[in-house]
Amino acid sequence: MDEAQINLEQAATENRSQLVREEFRDKVHVLPDPWGLQSVELFFQASGSNSIIIAENTDSSQLRAASIAVAQRVPMVTYDDSMRSELIAQIDALGITRILLVGDLPFASTHGDLEILHDPGTTQALGEMTAFQFTSQVVDSPEGMVKAVADVESADFTELKAAWEPLYREERWETEPIPAQSRRDSGMSPVIIVTPESSVASVANVKAWGGEVWVMPTGDPRDSKHQMALVSGLEDGPLVALGPQFGDANLLTDRIMHGWNSSTHANS
């Protein structure tokens, strides 16, 4: 749509009129976490989850984990040693009983009642874990990862693959089912915005939860009228932004309140 055709007042009215779950009403959340932990807490802690997927911090493993997370509506995180203690706490809070490791991860739990599974990394294993046949989709570049995950729907059963990086495989690992969970958004999701720099795990968690994701070129909605239309009227929420590129909640709120001006927005 041409910018001249965008009516920001109408966009604001439509944005404010959406039905949204109570926990998101009148709130602006900015989640800077690169590993997906904050999105797991925000979207899954209220209902809990039987399973969680932990991905190695490689592009190919994150895309693989995201494919499974969205298909089975299971939360995921990207692993880093710096967040191990927080991850263990989140596992306890969610009531996790099953962990699927994707990639070459030395993760081990001290909880004896946790089932630790390993993804062999094959297309056949996807079918065995989910009971569905997946269709492969190649992502051309790292810059396209977020958009690819945002576009995948749970019913698509799409296996996202990185064109630039092979996926770690260990075919000797046996596969076990990862039961699908129900969507949790109740059709009342807040507006959720991301950019190509957002965390793949966080975007996958939104999709697994049941929400839709709007991919913006930058973290400043004033950079274009199209971007401002996505958030117009949402200075008091309901809005969730994924990534530090949006600043904090106060900065994002100020930018929305400032609005879009064709002559001054670029220098604001």
Side-chain angles (χ1 to χ4, degrees), residues 53-70:
I53 302 168
I54 304 176
E56 181 186 4
N57 190 15
T58 64
D59 293 344
S60 57
S61 292
Q62 290 183 80
L63 287 175
R64 170 80 168 193
S67 302
I68 302 169
V70 175

Side-chain angles (χ1 to χ4, degrees), residues 1 6 63 79 87 122 142 165-166 169 175 189 193 217 225 242:
M1 181 185 294
I6 297 175
L63 287 175
Y79 185 75
L87 174 57
T122 64
E165 180 181 83
R169 291 188 177 188
T175 56
S189 171
I193 54 174
K225 199 174 182 181
L242 305 181

Side-chain angles (χ1 to χ4, degrees), residues 12 32 41 64 95 97 129-130 166 169 173 204 210 240 247 250:
E41 180 177 2
R64 170 80 168 193
T97 58
M129 287 188 288
T130 66
R169 291 188 177 188
W173 285 331
V240 178
N250 289 332

Side-chain angles (χ1 to χ4, degrees), residues 37-221:
L37 275 172
Q38 290 179 326
S39 59
V40 171
E41 180 177 2
L42 181 63
F43 294 107
F44 287 90
Q45 193 164 81
S47 58
S49 176
N50 293 325
S51 306
I52 193 169
I53 302 168
I54 304 176
E56 181 186 4
N57 190 15
T58 64
D59 293 344
S60 57
S61 292
Q62 290 183 80
L63 287 175
R64 170 80 168 193
S67 302
I68 302 169
V70 175
Q72 301 303 89
R73 298 199 180 280
V74 170
M76 71 165 283
V77 296
T78 300
Y79 185 75
D80 185 82
D81 286 339
S82 66
M83 48 79 90
R84 180 183 174 86
S85 60
E86 294 176 80
L87 174 57
I88 296 298
Q90 193 64 258
I91 287 171
D92 288 340
L94 289 171
I96 297 291
T97 58
R98 183 186 301 103
I99 295 174
L100 175 66
L101 302 180
V102 177
D104 186 12
L105 276 175
F107 184 86
S109 171
T110 57
H111 295 255
D113 54 349
L114 273 176
E115 183 180 14
I116 307 289
L117 307 176
H118 295 266
D119 170 30
T122 64
T123 299
Q124 178 181 340
L126 280 180
E128 293 172 351
M129 287 188 288
T130 66
F132 285 94
Q133 183 175 354
F134 279 64
T135 301
S136 295
Q137 176 183 324
V138 176
V139 181
D140 293 332
S141 68
E143 294 75 23
M145 291 171 64
V146 163
K147 181 67 164 59
V149 175
D151 286 345
V152 169
E153 299 298 335
S154 180
D156 292 343
F157 298 103
T158 300
E159 178 188 8
L160 298 174
K161 295 182 175 182
W164 61 96
E165 180 181 83
L167 177 67
Y168 178 82
R169 291 188 177 188
E170 188 59 79
E171 297 187 29
R172 64 181 174 85
W173 285 331
E174 295 184 5
T175 56
E176 296 288 341
I178 304 297
Q181 301 180 153
S182 59
R183 66 182 294 172
R184 296 163 169 83
D185 71 313
S186 306
M188 296 189 292
S189 171
V191 173
I192 302 169
I193 54 174
V194 304
T195 76
E197 291 76 39
S198 296
S199 156
V200 167
S202 296
V203 177
N205 286 333
V206 172
K207 300 294 293 188
W209 179 71
E212 289 301 318
V213 177
W214 296 97
V215 183
M216 295 169 41
T218 73
D220 189 342

Side-chain angles (χ1 to χ4, degrees), residues 8-26:
L8 291 179
E9 290 185 5
Q10 180 180 346
T13 299
E14 292 176 356
N15 287 339
R16 293 192 191 104
S17 66
Q18 295 186 54
L19 293 175
V20 66
R21 291 176 63 94
E22 180 64 33
E23 61 263 35
F24 296 101
R25 193 171 299 162
D26 302 325

